Amino acid sequence: MTPSNTVVTRFAPSPSGHLHVGGARTALFCWAYARGRSGKLVLRIEDTDQKRSSDSASVGFARDLKWLGIAWDEGPEFEGCGGGPHGPYFQSERLETYQRYLDQLIASGVAYYAFESPQELTAMREAAKAQNRPFRYTGEVARALPPDRVRAMLAEGRPAVVRFHTPPGAITIVDEVLGTALIPDGETDDFVIRKADGYPTYHFAVVVDDELMGVTHVLRAQEHFNNTAKHIVLQDALGFRRPTYGHLPLIFNPDGSKMSKRDKDKVLRKALVEKGVTEPPTATVTRQRFTAWMADKTMQLELEETMALAEAYQVALPEINVDDFRRSGYLPEVLCNFLSLNGWSPGGDLETFDNEFLASHFDLDRVVKTPAKFDRAKLLAFNLHAIASMPREEFVRRTAAHGAAFHPSFMERLSSEQFSGLCNASHERSKTLDDLFRTNTFITTADDLLVWDSKATRKVLEGGSPSGFHHLKALREVLVTTDDWTVAGLEGVITPYAVRSAEGNLGAVAQPLRVAVSGSTVSPPIFDTLAILGKASALRRIDRCLAHSPATL
RNA sequence: GGCCCCAUCGUCUAGCCUGGUCCAGGACACCUCCCUUUCAAGGAGGACACAUGGGUUCGAAUCCCAUUGGGGUCACCA
């Protein structure tokens, strides 16, 4: 059993999508707060919305939390995490528990059945709005219903919700981040605590579960701040203790908009319009769906469809979910580090730290009150520094794991020697674990499929005096006779050539070579590039390049 | 619109509680130069903020008030 003085925090997502960075930050702070105080973190799945919950989502949450290094002590069981005496940890499996407390409230007369339909309520709201006054459900009509009439209506099977009768009086919220706030009398109306489908609402389930699971500290996003008043009156009515509250500042897009999955649709649609795409590639989405989506800016595709289209047209989608960041090659420890800097700081100039440091230093009094805009450029810089400072072996290992997960065909086409050569050449210029795969596709392109059709490549080959082609042709003869096809060996013949024939200007000979073997002006250092490709492949590419525009020689 | 909350460089923030050491510190981004076989990285510089107006005080980024601006919330969603 958990000792009564133990700190217990909880992360309680609703499984309606993927774990996004805001949720991850909340989870991280909950974890850090508990861990730094030898407490416990409870993971609870708030799946009381039958329409929006999906089973796969909660598994996704578990995996994402694990990847971030956030371990929960109690909750759904997943790879060594979870379990515990307060289960089940899915709210949809706790319905009897909620009913028990609900009966208690009804019996004591502070909760009552209400029979207005959603349509009626909408009409009431609109009427209030038309008169320019706020709508508050006070339930005079419903509460005036005689008990036997209520029983009769229920017996008839009339759809009904249960509402909580909020007692009069102002409500004081004490928050460890925002301070004390006074919610005036009448602001909190008689809210629904059980829906017509028999499920509890968020407010009711949260209050019951936090009590039963021994939660001492509720750390959640600031959007829940006003809900706290509802939770407090419920706690009082049920005789529960009040946990300590800390409301965390929200995280937004750089432009101030809310981060949402819609952002992906937005970016993708814009990119496709710019590319003039009018037909979906096969095996992505149906044509009707595609056309409808292109025309309707509010329409959202399924995540899989969005990804498939982005993949097909090489559109980089904004990362929103934790999984997006993993896919993009960010390190989990960096994401955590950066995320914790959005809304908290250890003070002073320190910015780089790990989760253990966070756990031992995190406190609510250093949580800022202002919302943060998520700066991907800074995240990227953090990631770059973390990658640069990791040992080479670790870089190779983690890059290989990333490749196996997200670029299997790339990995298959490279021998382990080629791959480690590529890692050596790419480590210091990698901002993410994904960079190497995205920027070196020329390696896995077949020798006879390489093209040199850009303005830049033409300029490199045709320009200069003597021209790039001239150097390339001369270099070809040098390379044919080179047997030591290694970084050092290649440098040993190419640098002397540059000294001999290009006034020591290595760039004048490296660029034509680079273009010839990679098809572009950007690649890893030229000696590495040649070494990775191997002699046969490199020479084939050079020969094909020379054969392409002999006229300019 | 009602209610609640907030307000330091473009961004994340330090400093604010316990006024003077702050003509405000760090990081990312930006600009310039250097280095350089491309791209990065790296090195050296630079520009950039206390929202406004009133108080209080010998003295305010720091305390108070107002204004303005921003955010949240007003669901049988969480």
Side-chain angles (χ1 to χ4, degrees):
Chain A
M1 218 48 218
T2 308
S4 59
N5 60 345
T6 302
V7 165
V8 178
T9 60
R10 46 70 159 182
F11 178 58
S14 67
S16 57
H18 290 71
L19 178 63
H20 60 95
V21 288
R25 201 270 319 259
T26 300
L28 183 62
F29 285 179
C30 287
W31 171 85
Y33 193 86
R35 175 153 183 124
R37 290 163 181 74
S38 306
K40 289 185 171 180
L41 170 64
V42 176
L43 175 62
R44 184 176 69 221
I45 306 300
E46 311 224 318
D47 53 351
T48 54
D49 186 346
Q50 298 193 70
K51 290 187 278 298
R52 300 211 286 179
S53 296
S54 78
D55 293 344
S56 59
S58 55
V59 175
F61 279 118
R63 190 199 54 198
D64 291 342
L65 290 172
K66 270 286 195 178
W67 181 71
L68 289 169
I70 299 172
W72 57 100
D73 303 287
E74 283 186 34
E77 293 185 39
F78 182 83
E79 293 179 4
C81 278
H86 303 101
Y89 295 94
F90 286 81
Q91 291 185 328
S92 59
E93 296 171 17
R94 301 172 61 79
L95 265 26
E96 319 82 69
T97 305
Y98 305 126
Q99 189 60 47
R100 207 161 62 236
Y101 286 97
L102 193 84
D103 291 342
Q104 184 185 320
L105 291 182
I106 292 175
S108 62
V110 290
Y112 58 89
Y113 287 95
F115 297 90
E116 291 87 356
S117 69
Q119 293 74 19
E120 286 174 291
L121 288 168
T122 306
M124 288 159 81
R125 279 190 202 96
E126 280 167 2
K129 195 170 182 182
Q131 293 173 41
N132 225 327
R133 59 179 174 80
F135 173 68
R136 296 284 180 275
Y137 186 96
T138 51
E140 276 92 7
V141 179
R143 281 187 291 128
L145 248 36
D148 48 346
R149 176 81 184 110
V150 170
R151 269 192 297 276
M153 287 170 88
L154 290 173
E156 276 170 32
R158 288 269 303 262
V161 299
V162 176
R163 287 181 180 265
F164 177 74
H165 183 46
T166 299
I171 302 162
T172 304
I173 301 174
V174 179
D175 186 278
E176 296 302 308
V177 173
L178 297 172
T180 301
L182 193 71
I183 309 297
D185 180 35
E187 272 303 310
T188 306
D189 66 2
D190 286 6
F191 52 97
V192 175
I193 56 180
R194 197 190 73 167
K195 311 178 216 177
D197 65 3
Y199 275 59
T201 60
Y202 162 72
H203 306 295
F204 194 65
V206 155
V207 164
V208 170
D209 287 345
D210 283 347
E211 169 73 14
L212 264 32
M213 295 176 183
V215 173
T216 60
H217 294 257
V218 172
L219 311 186
R220 62 190 1 171
Q222 251 172 47
E223 62 193 15
H224 289 298
F225 186 79
N226 291 290
N227 291 334
T228 310
K230 294 188 173 86
H231 302 170
I232 284 175
V233 291
L234 277 176
Q235 284 153 4
D236 289 354
L238 289 161
F240 295 165
R241 90 239 117 82
R242 275 182 207 179
T244 301
Y245 286 100
H247 286 92
L248 311 169
L250 268 18
I251 299 179
F252 291 106
N253 280 321
D255 67 0
S257 65
K258 223 170 175 176
M259 261 196 205
S260 114
K261 324 114 222 156
R262 273 167 202 277
D263 295 349
K264 293 188 185 180
D265 291 73
K266 219 161 82 185
V267 167
L268 181 61
R269 193 181 287 113
K270 186 159 180 273
L272 296 191
V273 167
E274 275 168 14
K275 285 173 190 261
V277 176
T278 53
E279 295 259 319
T282 48
T284 52
V285 294
T286 64
R287 184 177 307 173
Q288 297 95 306
R289 200 162 154 71
F290 180 81
T291 321
W293 173 79
M294 286 293 272
D296 180 2
K297 288 194 168 138
T298 62
M299 181 174 162
Q300 267 184 273
L301 293 175
E302 292 301 313
L303 190 56
E304 293 71 37
E305 298 175 318
T306 316
M307 304 274 282
L309 277 175
E311 173 84 31
Y313 287 107
Q314 294 291 299
V315 178
L317 297 177
E319 298 92 354
I320 308 287
N321 302 319
V322 167
D323 193 53
D324 299 334
F325 287 94
R326 174 165 58 168
R327 189 178 296 274
S328 291
Y330 288 91
L331 308 176
E333 66 269 31
V334 170
L335 224 205
C336 285
N337 182 188
F338 183 71
L339 237 23
S340 44
L341 254 14
N342 279 252
W344 181 80
S345 88
D349 295 341
L350 184 68
E351 280 199 311
T352 306
F353 49 81
D354 59 18
N355 281 359
E356 286 310 317
F357 176 93
L358 180 69
S360 55
H361 292 263
F362 180 77
D363 202 355
L364 263 19
D365 60 10
R366 292 203 62 84
V367 172
V368 301
K369 304 177 178 186
T370 51
K373 289 171 186 158
F374 193 80
D375 183 0
R376 287 190 181 73
K378 185 160 178 173
L379 203 216
L380 194 60
F382 271 45
N383 210 54
L384 163 82
H385 284 128
I387 286 177
S389 57
M390 77 174 54
R392 180 61 47 87
E393 316 80 69
E394 184 184 347
F395 177 73
V396 175
R397 180 170 52 74
R398 296 179 75 166
T399 304
H402 181 81
F406 300 110
H407 304 281
S409 63
F410 187 105
M411 294 301 285
E412 278 165 26
R413 288 176 195 223
L414 259 58
S415 69
S416 64
E417 291 75 29
Q418 279 180 303
F419 183 71
S420 73
L422 180 58
C423 285
N424 284 334
S426 305
H427 185 179
E428 62 180 8
R429 73 201 71 243
S430 285
K431 295 186 173 184
T432 71
L433 294 181
D434 204 61
D435 283 6
L436 166 164
F437 300 99
R438 282 203 322 273
T439 59
N440 294 300
T441 50
F442 72 90
I443 295 176
T444 55
T445 301
D447 293 338
D448 55 357
L449 290 179
L450 213 59
V451 289
W452 302 267
D453 58 355
S454 78
K455 218 179 207 175
T457 53
R458 229 181 337 263
K459 191 175 158 196
V460 166
L461 294 173
E462 294 172 1
S465 176
S467 74
F469 265 118
H470 178 93
H471 283 308
L472 194 57
K473 198 168 187 190
L475 241 7
R476 196 245 172 225
E477 301 316 315
V478 173
L479 293 176
V480 170
T481 62
T482 302
D483 294 318
D484 183 12
W485 199 269
T486 61
V487 172
L490 288 160
E491 180 165 14
V493 296
I494 295 172
T495 301
Y497 171 85
V499 169
R500 216 158 56 231
S501 314
E503 300 168 328
N505 182 3
L506 188 56
V509 302
Q511 274 311 78
L513 269 176
R514 189 185 315 281
V515 163
V517 301
S518 78
S520 91
T521 56
V522 179
S523 88
I526 190 60
F527 309 126
D528 294 270
T529 302
L530 292 170
I532 292 162
L533 285 171
K535 184 171 182 177
S537 175
L539 284 176
R540 260 196 305 275
R541 292 172 183 219
I542 291 169
D543 287 341
R544 272 194 70 237
C545 182
L546 287 170
H548 254 68
S549 307
T552 60
L553 278 170

